Amino acid sequence: MFDDRTDAGERLAADLESRGLEADVVLGIPRGALPVARPVADALEADLDVVVARKLGAPNNPELAIGAVASDGSVWYNDDLLERLGVSEDYREEIRGAEAENAAEKADRYRPSDRSGLPDLEGKRVVVVDDGVATGATATACLRQVRAAGAEYVVLAVPVGSPRGVADLESEADEVIALETPESFRAVGQFYREFGQVTDEEAMAYLER
């Protein structure tokens, strides 16, 4: 159990330090990951930036993720769910395009007006941080975007994750580190005493430190 996201970030940072992990860039997934990613970036003496993805909701059930898309258009689909629900190709393309645009706009809000897109990741060691992993949909889309940007070594680091979600992500990163993978996992928030919404303003303040 973590007190809040900052506590989770400090404990995650200590774990990564104890492993001797080195990083050039730490990327948080807005908004909730920024309070977690800030202590990690400070501990690893790495630059902090963001990588953004949006969940793709099922027809008539937007909370059910049929996949996720990153701000560069990198996409992941849950093929089993698509087949079970009979989701059409037209629907997939429509929602992918709309949410990719939303993700790009969100990413741009977090960056200086003279720079859009990810920082230069070519040949870099990158740690992607989230506040937790449930299905792993958004994390998958983010990791694929980082890979496509030429990162040499990619680590996903989270305080807590579902055993299945964490296992599924191991094929998307060179290393996946989760402090806790409880069998009783139902939702990320159940492992935080305080798990309120993080506003855009609060998230950007962590970037500016």
Side-chain angles (χ1 to χ4, degrees), residues 17-64:
E17 275 192 299
S18 72
R19 296 169 183 262
L21 188 71
E22 297 180 356
D24 301 300
V25 181
V26 172
L27 299 175
I29 301 176
R31 296 181 299 256
L34 271 300
V36 183
R38 180 76 265 175
V40 171
D42 290 346
L44 300 181
E45 298 181 350
D47 294 331
L48 177 62
D49 209 296
V50 296
V51 58
V52 182
R54 297 272 296 188
K55 180 172 64 177
L56 302 178
N60 304 315
N61 188 358
E63 292 305 309
L64 179 61

Side-chain angles (χ1 to χ4, degrees), residues 113-134:
S113 58
D114 61 347
R115 182 172 69 80
S116 62
L118 287 171
D120 179 16
L121 301 181
E122 188 70 38
K124 302 287 182 64
R125 295 177 63 89
V126 180
V127 178
V128 176
V129 175
D130 205 352
D131 54 12
V133 165

Side-chain angles (χ1 to χ4, degrees), residues 39-89:
V40 171
D42 290 346
L44 300 181
E45 298 181 350
D47 294 331
L48 177 62
D49 209 296
V50 296
V51 58
V52 182
R54 297 272 296 188
K55 180 172 64 177
L56 302 178
N60 304 315
N61 188 358
E63 292 305 309
L64 179 61
I66 59 170
V69 63
S71 57
D72 71 338
S74 300
V75 67
W76 170 83
Y77 289 113
N78 183 327
D79 293 329
D80 291 341
L81 193 54
L82 289 176
E83 183 176 353
R84 192 164 80 240
L85 296 177
V87 180
S88 71
E89 182 71 25

